[in-house]
Amino acid sequence: MVNEQDFLAAYDPRAYPAIAVTVDVVALTIRDGALHLLLIRRGEQPYAGHWALPGGFVRPDEDLAGAARRELAEETGLGDDRLGRVHLEQLASYGAPERDPRMRIVSVAHLAFAPDLPDAAAGTDADEAVWLPVSGLANRELAFDHRQIVADGLERARSKLEYTPLATRFLGPEFTIGELRSVYETVWGQPLHAGNFHRKVLSVPGFVESTGASTERGGSRGGPRARLYRAGDAQLLHPALLRPAREEAVR
C-alpha cells in the first residue's frame, strides 16, 4: 500500500473538475422601525448592475466564517470591536450546477443581524451598497439565486425568534419589553398583543432579567416609567414564542 506522503506527492487535483467556494451574507438590521437587508449593486460581470447579497470568493487562508465576516466588514465599515456584536451563523449551501455562469461555484450563505448597523459603503467590486427595507424587495431584480437565499434567510431569522433569545441581539444592552415586542413585530411583520407578549416573555426562564432600573420617563402618552431588562442566560426558549399563525395551528 502506498504511504500517505507518496500518495500526496503524486496526487493531481487537476484530475477533478474545478469547483470554487464563495460566501454570501444575508445581513439584517432594524432601521427606522423596519427590517432592512444589505444589498450591493454589482460593478462587474456577471450580472453587472444587478442587486446582490454581499459576498465573494473564499481566500486560501480563510475559513468560511472568516470570509463572511470580511465581506460584511467591507460593505459596512464595521471594525473588529463592532463585528463582535453581530450574530453570524451559517444558513445553507447552494450548489446548483448552473447557478453561476462563470464556473461551478458553491456558495455557503450566512445569516447576520445586529442593532444599529452603520450606513453601507460599497466595497471594491460593487458600485453601490444600500440597506433596503425587506418590504421593497419585490421591486428589485437580484443576481444569481440570491432571491432564494434571501427568502431562506428571512425564514430562518423569523423562526429563530420563536425558539431562541436572538431578538435581544437587535437591541442595546438594556431594553424594555415594549422595545423587545417591537423587534418581534418588525421581523415577523405583524402586530402582537402587548399584554400577552409581556406575559409570555416573563414566563420563559432565562429569556430576560430585570436590571432593577426603569426608563427616565413614561411612554409617549404618559403613564408609569417602563422597567428595563437585559438578555438572560437562556440559549433556547421554553416554552417557545410562536408566531400567531403557528400558535393557532398547534391549538
Side-chain angles (χ1 to χ4, degrees), residues 1-222:
M1 178 180 294
V2 178
N3 63 41
E4 184 175 300
Q5 184 175 359
D6 291 339
F7 169 78
L8 293 176
Y11 185 79
D12 183 5
R14 294 171 298 180
Y16 299 92
I19 296 180
V21 179
T22 61
V23 292
D24 290 302
V25 183
V26 181
L28 301 172
T29 194
I30 295 176
R31 299 164 68 91
D32 301 322
L35 186 64
H36 282 64
L37 170 73
L38 179 61
L39 290 178
I40 60 120
R41 190 191 297 274
R42 289 181 58 81
E44 301 175 354
Q45 295 290 358
Y47 292 104
H50 284 66
W51 291 97
L53 295 169
F57 289 93
V58 179
R59 296 173 179 173
D61 60 344
E62 290 180 315
D63 61 16
L64 295 171
R69 283 192 294 268
R70 172 178 55 79
E71 290 292 343
L72 184 60
E74 288 177 359
E75 307 298 347
T76 61
L78 286 176
D80 290 340
D81 55 337
R82 295 193 66 186
L83 271 177
R85 295 182 57 198
V86 177
H87 173 80
L88 181 71
E89 65 177 69
Q90 275 194 29
L91 173 62
S93 298
Y94 300 83
E98 306 299 329
R99 65 177 301 273
D100 193 304
R102 291 170 290 188
M103 62 180 296
R104 183 71 188 274
I105 296 179
V106 174
S107 175
V108 182
H110 288 68
L111 175 66
F113 50 85
D116 303 324
L117 290 176
D119 290 340
T124 56
D125 59 349
D127 285 342
E128 187 180 359
V130 298
W131 287 104
L132 180 75
V134 168
S135 59
L137 279 177
N139 300 322
R140 303 287 175 120
E141 186 176 356
L142 301 187
F144 307 106
D145 51 0
H146 287 189
R147 185 167 295 279
Q148 181 62 54
I149 298 176
V150 170
D152 293 345
L154 289 171
E155 177 55 30
R156 170 74 67 84
R158 287 163 178 157
S159 65
K160 293 280 282 192
L161 264 60
E162 292 186 307
Y163 62 89
T164 77
L166 288 177
T168 60
R169 298 296 291 268
F170 282 104
L171 299 166
E174 297 184 352
F175 49 85
T176 67
I177 298 297
E179 289 169 337
L180 181 63
R181 186 182 77 253
S182 179
V183 170
Y184 275 86
E185 291 178 331
T186 301
V187 176
W188 285 352
Q190 57 189 128
L192 301 172
H193 187 279
N196 288 344
F197 181 84
H198 193 283
R199 174 181 52 79
K200 290 177 181 178
V201 168
L202 296 187
S203 70
V204 179
F207 186 5
V208 299
E209 58 184 35
S210 175
T211 66
S214 300
T215 55
E216 294 183 357
R217 62 186 65 183
S220 58
R221 299 182 179 179

